[in-house]
Amino acid sequence: MKYDYLIVGAGLFGAVFAYEAMQRGKTCLVIDKRPHIGGNIYCEDIEDIHVHKYGAHIFHTSDKEIWNYINRFAEFNNYINSPVAVYKDELYNLPFNMNTFSRMWKIRTPEEAKAKIREQIEELHITEPKNLEEQALSLVGTDVYEKLIKGYTEKQWGRSCTDLPAFIIKRLPLRFTYDNNYFNDRYQGIPIGGYTPIIEKMLEGADVLMNTDYFAFRRENSDIAEKTVFTGMIDEYFGYSLGPLQYRSVRFETEVLDMENYQGNAVVNYTEREVPYTRIIEHKHFEFGKQPKTVISREYSSEWKVGMEPYYPVNDEKNGKLYEEYRKLAEKEKNVIFGGRLGQYKYYDMDKVILAALECVKREFDD
């Protein structure tokens, strides 16, 4: 059988494209090298808990059309992302807000907090930040930086803050209210039942092959579809011919604990450099679970090497230039559409993935 579209990757971008193409009467074959659909938003059922296998995914958006779109496929609960941070024996609310400042400096009013931050910034005399450390210090002062930013950022990136470019942190939100809601977006929540059923509904009517490597599949099925939608790594598609792009990877240690409640919150960040993991996720709290056991995942950030799972593009100047060269190669590929986080070498929140997929659909079918 010949299909209209071969879609490489059963994640959110590929699933949205497949759904929209099938709504227009097109035939789709979806392949993925993993043993399951859903990409990084896949949820695995363990002890009747929907475990976010590839890290915490909280849906949030200010785009009403995108919110209405995703709600076609699931009902969302009213989960509000309110992470906490642990530094040594101290516990702080995130994002940086009056609860954070009150705990840190034993103060109560916004004016006191602003004065404290302003005083610390002025003492540093940083006029033109040369690196991420100086940029962060010039935005939030010494205490917030040392306790809540420095160690966590160095673990995330695997390098010293003084070796990271200043532009990585354009701003750090300081909120002078007692509000622990991490996001400013109008709409927020977790799909009841997890994310996997959303992808299942989107892919109804498509042929789906798991455990299928695209490059091996292409060698044997070069004419299987009129067009290809590729959501894998753009540099891998071209055989790393210009050199590999850089990514950060994440390793997860997941365990079942014979207790009802381990940490009392879905997301707890560990901001000390000496603690090897960046955060612990307790999955049941995303859906207000009452199960007798709990499942936690420790996240360890690491440098990516060819063959590992890539998570975050390293969007610095050097990689930006290299991606631009790959993008020029991609433009010359006949009948191949590159999309998603890896295909476009860009970190996307879920709502932005959906928007990008729908814009791609519009260009493909409606323009």
Side-chain angles (χ1 to χ4, degrees), residues 283-299:
H283 302 268
K284 70 190 303 180
H285 296 309
F286 288 128
E287 296 187 65
F288 314 110
K290 303 287 188 222
Q291 298 88 344
K293 294 185 180 182
T294 193
V295 181
I296 64 167
S297 297
R298 293 179 181 87
E299 296 188 11

PDB file of all heavy atoms in Angstrom, residues 283-299:
ATOM      1  N   HIS A 283       4.416  11.542  40.787  1.00  0.00           N
ATOM      2  CA  HIS A 283       3.456  11.603  39.687  1.00  0.00           C
ATOM      3  C   HIS A 283       1.999  11.649  40.126  1.00  0.00           C
ATOM      4  O   HIS A 283       1.169  12.272  39.450  1.00  0.00           O
ATOM      5  CB  HIS A 283       3.685  10.422  38.746  1.00  0.00           C
ATOM      6  CG  HIS A 283       5.072  10.374  38.181  1.00  0.00           C
ATOM      7  ND1 HIS A 283       5.407  10.973  36.983  1.00  0.00           N
ATOM      8  CD2 HIS A 283       6.225   9.831  38.663  1.00  0.00           C
ATOM      9  CE1 HIS A 283       6.692  10.777  36.740  1.00  0.00           C
ATOM     10  NE2 HIS A 283       7.210  10.094  37.740  1.00  0.00           N
ATOM     11  N   LYS A 284       1.651  11.023  41.221  1.00  0.00           N
ATOM     12  CA  LYS A 284       0.236  10.945  41.601  1.00  0.00           C
ATOM     13  C   LYS A 284      -0.356  12.321  41.887  1.00  0.00           C
ATOM     14  O   LYS A 284      -1.554  12.542  41.729  1.00  0.00           O
ATOM     15  CB  LYS A 284       0.058  10.027  42.810  1.00  0.00           C
ATOM     16  CG  LYS A 284       0.604  10.588  44.121  1.00  0.00           C
ATOM     17  CD  LYS A 284       0.623   9.561  45.248  1.00  0.00           C
ATOM     18  CE  LYS A 284      -0.719   8.961  45.526  1.00  0.00           C
ATOM     19  NZ  LYS A 284      -0.660   7.965  46.622  1.00  0.00           N
ATOM     20  N   HIS A 285       0.501  13.274  42.280  1.00  0.00           N
ATOM     21  CA  HIS A 285      -0.013  14.606  42.638  1.00  0.00           C
ATOM     22  C   HIS A 285      -0.481  15.417  41.428  1.00  0.00           C
ATOM     23  O   HIS A 285      -1.182  16.411  41.591  1.00  0.00           O
ATOM     24  CB  HIS A 285       1.033  15.385  43.441  1.00  0.00           C
ATOM     25  CG  HIS A 285       1.354  14.772  44.759  1.00  0.00           C
ATOM     26  ND1 HIS A 285       0.382  14.420  45.670  1.00  0.00           N
ATOM     27  CD2 HIS A 285       2.539  14.419  45.324  1.00  0.00           C
ATOM     28  CE1 HIS A 285       0.952  13.901  46.745  1.00  0.00           C
ATOM     29  NE2 HIS A 285       2.260  13.882  46.552  1.00  0.00           N
ATOM     30  N   PHE A 286      -0.094  14.997  40.215  1.00  0.00           N
ATOM     31  CA  PHE A 286      -0.610  15.672  39.027  1.00  0.00           C
ATOM     32  C   PHE A 286      -2.116  15.462  38.874  1.00  0.00           C
ATOM     33  O   PHE A 286      -2.804  16.278  38.272  1.00  0.00           O
ATOM     34  CB  PHE A 286       0.081  15.151  37.758  1.00  0.00           C
ATOM     35  CG  PHE A 286       1.504  15.586  37.613  1.00  0.00           C
ATOM     36  CD1 PHE A 286       2.511  14.653  37.372  1.00  0.00           C
ATOM     37  CD2 PHE A 286       1.859  16.922  37.706  1.00  0.00           C
ATOM     38  CE1 PHE A 286       3.828  15.045  37.222  1.00  0.00           C
ATOM     39  CE2 PHE A 286       3.183  17.329  37.563  1.00  0.00           C
ATOM     40  CZ  PHE A 286       4.165  16.380  37.326  1.00  0.00           C
ATOM     41  N   GLU A 287      -2.599  14.340  39.387  1.00  0.00           N
ATOM     42  CA  GLU A 287      -4.022  14.029  39.252  1.00  0.00           C
ATOM     43  C   GLU A 287      -4.687  13.812  40.617  1.00  0.00           C
ATOM     44  O   GLU A 287      -5.695  13.124  40.713  1.00  0.00           O
ATOM     45  CB  GLU A 287      -4.203  12.808  38.337  1.00  0.00           C
ATOM     46  CG  GLU A 287      -3.727  13.067  36.913  1.00  0.00           C
ATOM     47  CD  GLU A 287      -4.063  11.939  35.962  1.00  0.00           C
ATOM     48  OE1 GLU A 287      -5.265  11.701  35.716  1.00  0.00           O
ATOM     49  OE2 GLU A 287      -3.125  11.284  35.459  1.00  0.00           O
ATOM     50  N   PHE A 288      -4.088  14.405  41.659  1.00  0.00           N
ATOM     51  CA  PHE A 288      -4.686  14.379  43.003  1.00  0.00           C
ATOM     52  C   PHE A 288      -4.965  12.939  43.449  1.00  0.00           C
ATOM     53  O   PHE A 288      -6.015  12.632  44.002  1.00  0.00           O
ATOM     54  CB  PHE A 288      -5.970  15.221  43.038  1.00  0.00           C
ATOM     55  CG  PHE A 288      -5.830  16.564  42.377  1.00  0.00           C
ATOM     56  CD1 PHE A 288      -6.466  16.841  41.177  1.00  0.00           C
ATOM     57  CD2 PHE A 288      -5.024  17.550  42.926  1.00  0.00           C
ATOM     58  CE1 PHE A 288      -6.326  18.073  40.545  1.00  0.00           C
ATOM     59  CE2 PHE A 288      -4.872  18.784  42.310  1.00  0.00           C
ATOM     60  CZ  PHE A 288      -5.514  19.048  41.120  1.00  0.00           C
ATOM     61  N   GLY A 289      -3.985  12.054  43.195  1.00  0.00           N
ATOM     62  CA  GLY A 289      -4.188  10.622  43.435  1.00  0.00           C
ATOM     63  C   GLY A 289      -4.275  10.248  44.903  1.00  0.00           C
ATOM     64  O   GLY A 289      -3.629  10.860  45.760  1.00  0.00           O
ATOM     65  N   LYS A 290      -5.051   9.219  45.182  1.00  0.00           N
ATOM     66  CA  LYS A 290      -5.215   8.689  46.546  1.00  0.00           C
ATOM     67  C   LYS A 290      -4.755   7.229  46.625  1.00  0.00           C
ATOM     68  O   LYS A 290      -5.123   6.510  47.542  1.00  0.00           O
ATOM     69  CB  LYS A 290      -6.690   8.765  46.967  1.00  0.00           C
ATOM     70  CG  LYS A 290      -7.295  10.157  46.901  1.00  0.00           C
ATOM     71  CD  LYS A 290      -6.781  11.041  48.015  1.00  0.00           C
ATOM     72  CE  LYS A 290      -7.549  12.355  48.031  1.00  0.00           C
ATOM     73  NZ  LYS A 290      -6.701  13.505  48.254  1.00  0.00           N
ATOM     74  N   GLN A 291      -3.972   6.777  45.658  1.00  0.00           N
ATOM     75  CA  GLN A 291      -3.524   5.392  45.643  1.00  0.00           C
ATOM     76  C   GLN A 291      -2.693   5.084  46.899  1.00  0.00           C
ATOM     77  O   GLN A 291      -2.026   5.964  47.445  1.00  0.00           O
ATOM     78  CB  GLN A 291      -2.677   5.109  44.389  1.00  0.00           C
ATOM     79  CG  GLN A 291      -3.423   5.300  43.071  1.00  0.00           C
ATOM     80  CD  GLN A 291      -3.365   6.725  42.540  1.00  0.00           C
ATOM     81  OE1 GLN A 291      -3.023   7.659  43.266  1.00  0.00           O
ATOM     82  NE2 GLN A 291      -3.700   6.909  41.275  1.00  0.00           N
ATOM     83  N   PRO A 292      -2.704   3.821  47.359  1.00  0.00           N
ATOM     84  CA  PRO A 292      -1.967   3.467  48.587  1.00  0.00           C
ATOM     85  C   PRO A 292      -0.448   3.542  48.436  1.00  0.00           C
ATOM     86  O   PRO A 292       0.266   3.709  49.413  1.00  0.00           O
ATOM     87  CB  PRO A 292      -2.420   2.031  48.869  1.00  0.00           C
ATOM     88  CG  PRO A 292      -2.947   1.512  47.571  1.00  0.00           C
ATOM     89  CD  PRO A 292      -3.506   2.694  46.854  1.00  0.00           C
ATOM     90  N   LYS A 293       0.055   3.425  47.189  1.00  0.00           N
ATOM     91  CA  LYS A 293       1.491   3.551  46.947  1.00  0.00           C
ATOM     92  C   LYS A 293       1.750   4.820  46.137  1.00  0.00           C
ATOM     93  O   LYS A 293       0.821   5.478  45.670  1.00  0.00           O
ATOM     94  CB  LYS A 293       2.014   2.328  46.200  1.00  0.00           C
ATOM     95  CG  LYS A 293       1.940   1.041  47.015  1.00  0.00           C
ATOM     96  CD  LYS A 293       2.590  -0.120  46.287  1.00  0.00           C
ATOM     97  CE  LYS A 293       2.509  -1.386  47.134  1.00  0.00           C
ATOM     98  NZ  LYS A 293       3.169  -2.531  46.472  1.00  0.00           N
ATOM     99  N   THR A 294       3.037   5.146  45.976  1.00  0.00           N
ATOM    100  CA  THR A 294       3.386   6.316  45.177  1.00  0.00           C
ATOM    101  C   THR A 294       4.557   5.974  44.273  1.00  0.00           C
ATOM    102  O   THR A 294       5.297   5.020  44.527  1.00  0.00           O
ATOM    103  CB  THR A 294       3.707   7.536  46.069  1.00  0.00           C
ATOM    104  OG1 THR A 294       3.733   8.715  45.272  1.00  0.00           O
ATOM    105  CG2 THR A 294       5.028   7.385  46.799  1.00  0.00           C
ATOM    106  N   VAL A 295       4.721   6.749  43.195  1.00  0.00           N
ATOM    107  CA  VAL A 295       5.814   6.563  42.236  1.00  0.00           C
ATOM    108  C   VAL A 295       6.566   7.881  42.112  1.00  0.00           C
ATOM    109  O   VAL A 295       5.956   8.925  41.884  1.00  0.00           O
ATOM    110  CB  VAL A 295       5.279   6.140  40.843  1.00  0.00           C
ATOM    111  CG1 VAL A 295       6.452   5.919  39.881  1.00  0.00           C
ATOM    112  CG2 VAL A 295       4.429   4.877  40.942  1.00  0.00           C
ATOM    113  N   ILE A 296       7.885   7.812  42.300  1.00  0.00           N
ATOM    114  CA  ILE A 296       8.710   9.015  42.152  1.00  0.00           C
ATOM    115  C   ILE A 296       9.754   8.793  41.058  1.00  0.00           C
ATOM    116  O   ILE A 296      10.147   7.667  40.776  1.00  0.00           O
ATOM    117  CB  ILE A 296       9.411   9.421  43.467  1.00  0.00           C
ATOM    118  CG1 ILE A 296      10.410   8.338  43.908  1.00  0.00           C
ATOM    119  CG2 ILE A 296       8.396   9.713  44.564  1.00  0.00           C
ATOM    120  CD1 ILE A 296      11.361   8.793  45.014  1.00  0.00           C
ATOM    121  N   SER A 297      10.176   9.888  40.426  1.00  0.00           N
ATOM    122  CA  SER A 297      11.243   9.848  39.425  1.00  0.00           C
ATOM    123  C   SER A 297      12.268  10.923  39.751  1.00  0.00           C
ATOM    124  O   SER A 297      11.916  12.094  39.888  1.00  0.00           O
ATOM    125  CB  SER A 297      10.699  10.089  38.014  1.00  0.00           C
ATOM    126  OG  SER A 297       9.791   9.079  37.632  1.00  0.00           O
ATOM    127  N   ARG A 298      13.517  10.501  39.884  1.00  0.00           N
ATOM    128  CA  ARG A 298      14.624  11.462  40.010  1.00  0.00           C
ATOM    129  C   ARG A 298      15.164  11.755  38.623  1.00  0.00           C
ATOM    130  O   ARG A 298      15.340  10.848  37.821  1.00  0.00           O
ATOM    131  CB  ARG A 298      15.725  10.905  40.905  1.00  0.00           C
ATOM    132  CG  ARG A 298      15.309  10.736  42.360  1.00  0.00           C
ATOM    133  CD  ARG A 298      16.455  10.158  43.195  1.00  0.00           C
ATOM    134  NE  ARG A 298      16.026   9.991  44.577  1.00  0.00           N
ATOM    135  CZ  ARG A 298      15.413   8.904  45.043  1.00  0.00           C
ATOM    136  NH1 ARG A 298      15.156   7.892  44.223  1.00  0.00           N
ATOM    137  NH2 ARG A 298      15.045   8.826  46.308  1.00  0.00           N
ATOM    138  N   GLU A 299      15.434  13.031  38.352  1.00  0.00           N
ATOM    139  CA  GLU A 299      15.921  13.438  37.031  1.00  0.00           C
ATOM    140  C   GLU A 299      17.380  13.862  37.115  1.00  0.00           C
ATOM    141  O   GLU A 299      17.752  14.686  37.943  1.00  0.00           O
ATOM    142  CB  GLU A 299      15.084  14.602  36.486  1.00  0.00           C
ATOM    143  CG  GLU A 299      13.639  14.239  36.233  1.00  0.00           C
ATOM    144  CD  GLU A 299      12.868  15.339  35.517  1.00  0.00           C
ATOM    145  OE1 GLU A 299      13.510  16.292  35.025  1.00  0.00           O
ATOM    146  OE2 GLU A 299      11.631  15.247  35.467  1.00  0.00           O
TER     147      GLU A 299
END
